[in-house]
Amino acid sequence: MLARRTPRGGVALFLPLRLARVAQCGLCQCLLPTIGTFARGTPRTSADGILGRTPQRTSSPCNSSNFVCPQADPLFPSRHRALDNRLADRFAERSYRRAAIEAFGGALRIPTASYDDLGPVGEDRRWDVFAELHQYLEGAFPRVFAALHVTKINTYGIVLHWQGSNRTLRPVLMTAHQDVVPVDPATLADWLNPPYSGLYDGTWIWGRGSCDDKSDLVASLQAIDALLEQGFEPRRTFVWAFGFDEESSGTEGAGHLAPYLEDCYGTNGFAILLDEGGSAYGTAYGGDVTFAFPALSEKGYLDVQIEVSTPGGHSSVPPQHTAIGMLAAMIVELEAHPHPTMLTRESSAFRTTQCTAAYAPEYPEHIRKLALEAVHSDEALEALKRALLETFPVYDALLRTTQAADLIEGGVKVNALPERAAAVVNHRIVESSSVADVQTRMADVLRPLAARFDLTMDAFGRPLDVGAGGTGGHLALSVAFGYALDPSPVTPTGPEDPYQVFVGTVRGIIGGSKIHNTSHSVVVVPQIEVGNTDTSRYWNLTRHIVRYSHVREGDRYNGFHTVNEAIRADGWLESVRFFTRFILNWDEHL
């Protein structure tokens, strides 16, 4: 038993979980029997008080001295076992399903869109719709807003505090966001049901936010309400924080919530943070193995504006290169020099590869073999990188800093030479790099073009000597929109880290679900989030951040941020069950 001291002097006890380790033999048929093969019959209460099942391992010819991607045993409530069973019965009731789906649909009917050009709260009236959502949620979940301590931050940020009886334990933080991406009016005719209808057609729940992220928001409230209804009184404190501009800047929502939470609970004051993210769980690699994909890190973020300023004039007497032509050449030069791909043993991509190679029933055997050898061989590591890029195109985005010229402007009239042309290049920065690295590299790539076009140049506030007289004009590189973010810290995954409680919860909830084939093995595979969530504001609150939405593959009708956003009702209700189990497991895992 390890004692961990809280930032304010209390002591939190963290019970280590047993790990079902997997031999690193590189053969699927050799690895699979060692996971998820449990004796049928009565669950067993282990010595640490966590309800589990005794694993039955088959003999294996693999070398068991090395192990990859260990999996915590499925975790079930022990002290709260009777409560967990009552909740299961409650969730199965038709009346509960109808009421939960209607509550969700009501939230979807409120168009809480966040826009990139929103002004501060209190100055821009477009924020006012969030007051309507708050009024609705407080009416739909009166028990939650009466029993928990509610704090509003920057008017529309919501913090719910459920005080536990043991104040020495670090609280658990769960987050979601209230806002949705706007609906393009030009796409309205393409929606099968109106985007803010909240319609339930007997299978699907339709509406913007049904997948991102009112699904997690309302499921969290449903979970709290169900626990309150059953008389649950936590020993550990639980906190929920709901931002309201995650889809734009995050400045007004999580940007204000983060300092409030750090002030109240301390730096590294939370045991774990669970937010949206990851990939849908399912049989991504065929066979009878279900994979769940939480994200334990995020790429960094940087938008760079390239601005070319040149003398104007009449277009009938043009120079050899206009500002637009120079800008176009610079974009071509950047695309001709993509950032290099890198695969290191410390990277999230390497961990993802090791896990999938170890457990996937259908996986290229040459990559499986290379993954095993790459643990110790640099030559095999380089060969593994090449094989991944050739076989799985998505690795091109995972293994490098990506760059994409997404915005461009220039010129005001067809017969006037443009005096200014600008573009914005978006970067998602790989773990081994940084904002500073990307800025330096971009300046180095474009410096020769500045000299070629006789442009003076400054990059991110620093003048650069490119050996040009400046007769052609000026090139300026700057951070667009004033926001830049280094890659996130990576959540620890050691055998005694909080992550293992999450893994055990996921394996237990999927394996015991009535809508799943319970004969399937369940494997939790950490990955990197290529986008960014509100957690980018919360790094000071805990080292243990998990980005995961409990959604099964096929339960999103058409994904998110697009037309016909909808979620399967049965799948969404499973997320309510997941949240309650997560809370109960953490309340026991002291």
Short mmCIF file of all heavy atoms in Angstrom, two decimals, residues 254-277:
data_model
loop_
_atom_site.label_atom_id
_atom_site.label_comp_id
_atom_site.label_asym_id
_atom_site.label_seq_id
_atom_site.Cartn_x
_atom_site.Cartn_y
_atom_site.Cartn_z
N ALA A 254 -13.00 26.98 -20.06
CA ALA A 254 -11.94 26.29 -19.33
C ALA A 254 -10.82 27.25 -18.93
O ALA A 254 -10.15 27.06 -17.91
CB ALA A 254 -11.37 25.15 -20.18
N GLY A 255 -10.63 28.30 -19.73
CA GLY A 255 -9.61 29.29 -19.39
C GLY A 255 -9.86 29.97 -18.05
O GLY A 255 -8.92 30.40 -17.38
N HIS A 256 -11.13 30.09 -17.66
CA HIS A 256 -11.47 30.65 -16.35
C HIS A 256 -11.67 29.55 -15.31
O HIS A 256 -11.40 29.77 -14.12
CB HIS A 256 -12.75 31.50 -16.45
CG HIS A 256 -12.55 32.84 -17.08
ND1 HIS A 256 -12.36 33.01 -18.43
CD2 HIS A 256 -12.50 34.08 -16.53
CE1 HIS A 256 -12.21 34.30 -18.70
NE2 HIS A 256 -12.29 34.97 -17.56
N LEU A 257 -12.14 28.41 -15.74
CA LEU A 257 -12.35 27.30 -14.80
C LEU A 257 -11.03 26.81 -14.21
O LEU A 257 -10.94 26.49 -13.02
CB LEU A 257 -13.07 26.15 -15.49
CG LEU A 257 -14.55 26.35 -15.81
CD1 LEU A 257 -15.03 25.31 -16.81
CD2 LEU A 257 -15.38 26.29 -14.53
N ALA A 258 -9.99 26.73 -15.05
CA ALA A 258 -8.71 26.16 -14.60
C ALA A 258 -8.12 26.90 -13.40
O ALA A 258 -7.77 26.27 -12.39
CB ALA A 258 -7.72 26.12 -15.77
N PRO A 259 -7.97 28.23 -13.44
CA PRO A 259 -7.40 28.90 -12.26
C PRO A 259 -8.30 28.79 -11.04
O PRO A 259 -7.79 28.72 -9.90
CB PRO A 259 -7.24 30.36 -12.71
CG PRO A 259 -8.10 30.51 -13.92
CD PRO A 259 -8.15 29.17 -14.57
N TYR A 260 -9.61 28.77 -11.24
CA TYR A 260 -10.51 28.59 -10.09
C TYR A 260 -10.28 27.23 -9.45
O TYR A 260 -10.16 27.12 -8.22
CB TYR A 260 -11.97 28.72 -10.54
CG TYR A 260 -12.95 28.24 -9.49
CD1 TYR A 260 -13.30 29.06 -8.42
CD2 TYR A 260 -13.50 26.96 -9.56
CE1 TYR A 260 -14.18 28.61 -7.43
CE2 TYR A 260 -14.37 26.50 -8.59
CZ TYR A 260 -14.71 27.33 -7.53
OH TYR A 260 -15.57 26.88 -6.56
N LEU A 261 -10.22 26.18 -10.26
CA LEU A 261 -10.03 24.83 -9.73
C LEU A 261 -8.67 24.68 -9.05
O LEU A 261 -8.55 24.04 -8.00
CB LEU A 261 -10.19 23.80 -10.85
CG LEU A 261 -11.59 23.66 -11.44
CD1 LEU A 261 -11.55 22.83 -12.72
CD2 LEU A 261 -12.54 23.05 -10.44
N GLU A 262 -7.64 25.29 -9.64
CA GLU A 262 -6.31 25.19 -9.03
C GLU A 262 -6.26 25.95 -7.71
O GLU A 262 -5.62 25.50 -6.74
CB GLU A 262 -5.25 25.74 -9.98
CG GLU A 262 -3.83 25.52 -9.48
CD GLU A 262 -2.76 25.90 -10.50
OE1 GLU A 262 -3.12 26.38 -11.60
OE2 GLU A 262 -1.58 25.70 -10.19
N ASP A 263 -6.95 27.08 -7.64
CA ASP A 263 -6.97 27.84 -6.41
C ASP A 263 -7.71 27.08 -5.30
O ASP A 263 -7.30 27.09 -4.14
CB ASP A 263 -7.64 29.20 -6.65
CG ASP A 263 -7.67 30.06 -5.40
OD1 ASP A 263 -6.58 30.39 -4.89
OD2 ASP A 263 -8.77 30.38 -4.92
N CYS A 264 -8.81 26.40 -5.69
CA CYS A 264 -9.63 25.69 -4.69
C CYS A 264 -9.02 24.37 -4.25
O CYS A 264 -9.08 24.00 -3.07
CB CYS A 264 -11.03 25.44 -5.25
SG CYS A 264 -12.05 26.92 -5.37
N TYR A 265 -8.44 23.63 -5.19
CA TYR A 265 -8.02 22.26 -4.91
C TYR A 265 -6.50 22.08 -4.92
O TYR A 265 -6.00 21.02 -4.54
CB TYR A 265 -8.66 21.29 -5.91
CG TYR A 265 -10.17 21.32 -5.86
CD1 TYR A 265 -10.90 22.12 -6.74
CD2 TYR A 265 -10.88 20.57 -4.92
CE1 TYR A 265 -12.29 22.17 -6.69
CE2 TYR A 265 -12.26 20.61 -4.87
CZ TYR A 265 -12.95 21.42 -5.76
OH TYR A 265 -14.33 21.46 -5.70
N GLY A 266 -5.78 23.09 -5.37
CA GLY A 266 -4.33 23.03 -5.34
C GLY A 266 -3.73 22.51 -6.63
O GLY A 266 -4.38 21.81 -7.42
N THR A 267 -2.47 22.85 -6.86
CA THR A 267 -1.72 22.29 -7.98
C THR A 267 -1.59 20.78 -7.78
O THR A 267 -1.26 20.32 -6.68
CB THR A 267 -0.33 22.95 -8.07
OG1 THR A 267 -0.50 24.36 -8.19
CG2 THR A 267 0.44 22.41 -9.26
N ASN A 268 -1.85 20.03 -8.83
CA ASN A 268 -1.88 18.57 -8.74
C ASN A 268 -2.83 18.10 -7.63
O ASN A 268 -2.58 17.11 -6.94
CB ASN A 268 -0.48 17.99 -8.51
CG ASN A 268 0.41 18.15 -9.72
OD1 ASN A 268 -0.04 18.00 -10.85
ND2 ASN A 268 1.67 18.46 -9.50
N GLY A 269 -3.95 18.82 -7.50
CA GLY A 269 -4.88 18.53 -6.41
C GLY A 269 -5.87 17.42 -6.69
O GLY A 269 -6.60 17.01 -5.78
N PHE A 270 -5.93 16.92 -7.92
CA PHE A 270 -6.88 15.88 -8.27
C PHE A 270 -6.18 14.55 -8.51
O PHE A 270 -5.07 14.50 -9.05
CB PHE A 270 -7.67 16.27 -9.52
CG PHE A 270 -8.64 17.41 -9.29
CD1 PHE A 270 -8.27 18.71 -9.59
CD2 PHE A 270 -9.89 17.18 -8.76
CE1 PHE A 270 -9.14 19.77 -9.37
CE2 PHE A 270 -10.77 18.22 -8.53
CZ PHE A 270 -10.39 19.52 -8.84
N ALA A 271 -6.84 13.48 -8.12
CA ALA A 271 -6.28 12.13 -8.33
C ALA A 271 -6.24 11.78 -9.81
O ALA A 271 -5.30 11.14 -10.29
CB ALA A 271 -7.11 11.10 -7.56
N ILE A 272 -7.26 12.19 -10.54
CA ILE A 272 -7.35 11.88 -11.97
C ILE A 272 -8.35 12.84 -12.58
O ILE A 272 -9.23 13.38 -11.90
CB ILE A 272 -7.79 10.41 -12.21
CG1 ILE A 272 -7.58 9.98 -13.67
CG2 ILE A 272 -9.23 10.19 -11.77
CD1 ILE A 272 -7.75 8.48 -13.90
N LEU A 273 -8.20 13.10 -13.88
CA LEU A 273 -9.15 13.92 -14.64
C LEU A 273 -9.64 13.08 -15.82
O LEU A 273 -8.83 12.56 -16.59
CB LEU A 273 -8.47 15.19 -15.13
CG LEU A 273 -9.34 16.30 -15.78
CD1 LEU A 273 -8.53 17.60 -15.88
CD2 LEU A 273 -9.85 15.93 -17.17
N LEU A 274 -10.95 12.99 -15.97
CA LEU A 274 -11.55 12.27 -17.09
C LEU A 274 -12.31 13.28 -17.94
O LEU A 274 -13.22 13.95 -17.46
CB LEU A 274 -12.51 11.18 -16.58
CG LEU A 274 -13.27 10.39 -17.67
CD1 LEU A 274 -12.30 9.58 -18.52
CD2 LEU A 274 -14.31 9.47 -17.02
N ASP A 275 -11.92 13.37 -19.20
CA ASP A 275 -12.56 14.30 -20.14
C ASP A 275 -12.95 13.55 -21.40
O ASP A 275 -12.63 12.36 -21.57
CB ASP A 275 -11.60 15.46 -20.47
CG ASP A 275 -12.28 16.59 -21.23
OD1 ASP A 275 -13.48 16.84 -21.02
OD2 ASP A 275 -11.60 17.24 -22.06
N GLU A 276 -13.62 14.23 -22.31
CA GLU A 276 -13.97 13.64 -23.60
C GLU A 276 -12.71 13.30 -24.39
O GLU A 276 -11.62 13.80 -24.12
CB GLU A 276 -14.80 14.63 -24.41
CG GLU A 276 -14.02 15.90 -24.75
CD GLU A 276 -14.64 16.72 -25.84
OE1 GLU A 276 -15.40 16.17 -26.66
OE2 GLU A 276 -14.35 17.94 -25.89
N GLY A 277 -12.87 12.46 -25.42
CA GLY A 277 -11.76 12.20 -26.31
C GLY A 277 -11.58 10.73 -26.60
O GLY A 277 -12.46 9.89 -26.35
#
